[in-house]
Amino acid sequence: MVPLPQVRSIDELNARLLDACEKRKVAVLRGQKESIGERLERDRLAWLPIPDESFDPCEKVATRATSLSLVRYQTNDYSVPTAYGHHEVLVRGYVDQVVISCGSEVIARHERCYGKAEFIYNPLHYLALLERKPGALDQAAPYSIGTFLMTSIICGACWKGAWANAAGRNISRCCA
């Protein structure tokens, strides 16, 4: 990992690491008679079997959504649909995303933010509230000009249908 690899995604990093491992398997280290790949195969015979259950590679934190429909994970606040304000939720923090569940339902999905004290909004989470209080749009933090325009451009198709379906439903799946 020296020099530090410059990649755009975790998938690209994994592909590079896999390629490097495949190339390294044919090397024979000083003082050894077998290649790294041959020694690996010998060691695999002594390993325990892989468990049947899959491993969820994330940090799990039980918390509560605030009255502003925000959930704090580490030092950042992530939005959830307004219907889930004051509800107990489970936050699963992965390397690249944050997934928020209430009961067995996934209610929000956000790209992971590694900043400090930042607010990560999905404007669609607040549509049900705006139906009841349309005048709040001018002061609403989730609807800052940049976020609002980007969401409407990227999600034009779901944006039109969102107003009709906003009450009580998770409509963030297309923007997550």
Side-chain angles (χ1 to χ4, degrees):
M1 302 287 278
V2 175
L4 190 64
Q6 299 296 317
V7 295
R8 285 182 231 110
S9 70
I10 192 77
D11 293 330
E12 185 180 341
L13 176 63
N14 283 336
R16 279 194 191 180
L17 292 174
L18 181 61
D19 184 50
C21 287
E22 291 298 326
K23 289 177 182 174
R24 182 93 169 129
K25 281 171 59 173
V26 297
V28 177
L29 299 178
R30 183 177 39 200
Q32 301 293 324
K33 293 182 177 141
E34 300 173 298
S35 70
I36 292 173
E38 293 167 339
R39 293 171 57 208
L40 173 64
E41 289 305 317
R42 190 169 28 94
D43 288 347
R44 280 188 175 160
L45 297 174
W47 291 353
L48 295 173
I50 296 175
D52 292 333
E53 310 87 43
S54 63
F55 174 70
D56 196 14
C58 65
E59 177 185 23
K60 296 177 183 173
V61 178
T63 187
R64 179 181 286 273
T66 67
S67 62
L68 300 174
S69 298
L70 295 170
V71 173
R72 176 151 299 167
Y73 175 65
Q74 294 191 345
T75 62
N76 299 308
D77 291 320
Y78 296 88
S79 68
V80 296
T82 55
Y84 296 96
H86 300 290
H87 281 73
E88 295 289 328
V89 295
L90 177 68
V91 181
R92 290 179 289 162
Y94 296 90
V95 171
D96 59 341
Q97 67 178 336
V98 173
V99 178
I100 304 167
S101 304
C102 184
S104 62
E105 180 184 7
V106 173
I107 60 172
R109 214 178 270 277
H110 295 277
E111 187 173 315
R112 175 87 180 259
C113 176
Y114 285 98
K116 300 277 187 231
E118 294 189 33
F119 294 89
I120 297 83
Y121 294 109
N122 181 339
L124 296 178
H125 290 162
Y126 296 91
L127 286 177
L129 183 63
L130 281 175
E131 276 187 332
R132 290 182 284 145
K133 297 181 179 185
L137 184 61
D138 294 338
Q139 292 83 28
Y143 291 94
S144 64
I145 294 299
T147 305
F148 185 78
L149 288 177
M150 285 307 292
T151 302
S152 62
I153 290 167
I154 294 170
C155 299
C158 70
W159 190 255
K160 292 174 187 172
W163 288 100
N165 298 324
R169 287 192 184 160
N170 179 13
I171 55 175
S172 65
R173 287 193 179 105
C174 61
C175 298

